[in-house]
Amino acid sequence: MTKTLRRFLLPCFTTSTTSSSSTTITPVKKRLSTSLRNDIEDPPRKTQENIDQTQSEDDENDGAYSPSAAAIAAAAPPRASKTMVIGTIFGHRRGHVWFCVQHDRLSTRPALLLELPIPTHLLVKEMRCGLVRIALETLTRPGSELVSCPLRSVPVWTMLCNGRKLGFAGRRKATESTRLMLKTMQSITVGAGVLPAGFGFGSGSEADGELMYMRANYECVVGGPDSESFHLINPDECPGQELSIFLMRSR
């Protein structure tokens, strides 16, 4: 009987004792939670109505009239307009140089045709230096008809090449020889070469022989009613050649 009671009661006390003796209090460690919190409210999202309202306010602020800005705009000089034209420099070997301006290479009526006093061989020599500045100047007196006429309509100019006065240049009308030459070069946009004799520019022995030409795109800059300039645009594969022609009228 004693053994039977010991068999049933001893495991109960042993288990209780073991569990009570092995049970320990473990300190709780505080850890930083990296999970997203749900208790923080998200910022309000911008609706399409709010975006449109903000843009309209910005437009109203941009379009607001400012007296100081208007005064600055009125005092600023007008911007120069820039266009691209086709310019052709040509002339006989023993003659003088001509300068022709076209807005369309297919047109045989030039917008401007000038006969320059510089000989062809002298211009070729100046161009070997890489820098050519041709200035055409005219002086108008008060009350003269040249004051109000278009700048390209001035008949006579005083020419300076790289600072040296060479004489007087004149505006010319296109003749049949000019139109024939321009028609021959309709397919040429950029290039230089020699045309056979027979176009008849100049007079006497100047009209004989081959005709040398250089054709390229020019940037036309109109600074105002009294100033205009043409600047040679070099192709990408060609070395830099600076050539500019200025038209200036002083009052």
Side-chain angles (χ1 to χ4, degrees):
M1 184 68 178
T2 304
K3 291 182 179 180
T4 303
L5 292 174
R6 186 179 299 174
R7 186 191 310 174
F8 286 94
L9 295 178
L10 185 60
C12 295
F13 288 101
T14 304
T15 305
S16 173
T17 305
T18 305
S19 60
S20 60
S21 60
S22 61
T23 301
T24 57
I25 299 175
T26 305
V28 179
K29 295 182 179 180
K30 295 182 178 180
R31 296 182 180 179
L32 181 64
S33 176
T34 58
S35 61
L36 298 176
R37 298 178 60 182
N38 297 327
D39 58 341
I40 301 177
E41 297 181 358
D42 295 335
R45 296 182 179 179
K46 292 184 177 181
T47 61
Q48 185 64 30
E49 182 179 357
N50 295 335
I51 294 174
D52 296 339
Q53 183 177 0
T54 304
Q55 291 179 353
S56 62
E57 292 177 356
D58 295 341
D59 295 339
E60 292 178 358
N61 295 332
D62 294 340
Y65 175 79
S66 176
S68 59
I72 295 175
R79 295 183 179 180
S81 61
K82 299 180 180 180
T83 56
M84 184 177 296
V85 297
I86 298 176
T88 306
I89 295 177
F90 60 94
H92 292 283
R93 296 181 185 271
R94 300 179 182 179
H96 292 80
V97 174
W98 294 64
F99 180 63
C100 175
V101 176
Q102 295 174 267
H103 294 285
D104 183 9
R105 63 182 177 86
L106 300 179
S107 176
T108 57
R109 293 184 178 182
L112 178 63
L113 181 62
L114 297 173
E115 183 180 3
L116 308 180
I118 181 173
T120 305
H121 67 88
L122 182 58
L123 179 61
V124 173
K125 182 180 179 181
E126 293 289 341
M127 293 182 64
R128 290 175 182 174
C129 301
L131 177 62
V132 178
R133 294 286 187 271
I134 297 177
L136 301 177
E137 301 176 350
T138 181
L139 177 62
T140 57
R141 298 179 179 179
S144 175
E145 297 179 355
L146 300 178
V147 176
S148 58
C149 74
L151 188 63
R152 295 186 182 182
S153 300
V154 175
V156 181
W157 302 85
T158 302
M159 177 178 167
L160 293 88
C161 181
N162 290 342
R164 294 179 299 172
K165 186 176 180 181
L166 298 179
F168 298 94
R171 182 177 61 88
R172 299 290 184 261
K173 294 183 179 180
T175 61
E176 290 297 329
S177 300
T178 307
R179 296 190 181 96
L180 179 60
M181 182 202 66
L182 295 177
K183 186 176 181 180
T184 305
M185 293 191 295
Q186 283 182 348
S187 60
I188 302 174
T189 303
V190 178
V194 177
L195 296 178
F199 291 97
F201 288 96
S203 60
S205 60
E206 295 181 0
D208 299 333
E210 299 174 333
L211 185 71
M212 304 174 62
Y213 72 90
M214 185 184 72
R215 191 172 174 88
N217 293 321
Y218 285 77
E219 182 182 30
C220 177
V221 181
V222 179
D226 296 329
S227 64
E228 187 175 2
S229 59
F230 303 92
H231 306 274
L232 175 66
I233 300 176
N234 292 294
D236 297 336
E237 67 274 5
C238 295
Q241 171 67 56
E242 297 186 15
L243 173 61
S244 300
I245 299 177
F246 300 88
L247 305 180
M248 296 174 290
R249 175 170 52 191
S250 58
R251 302 177 183 269

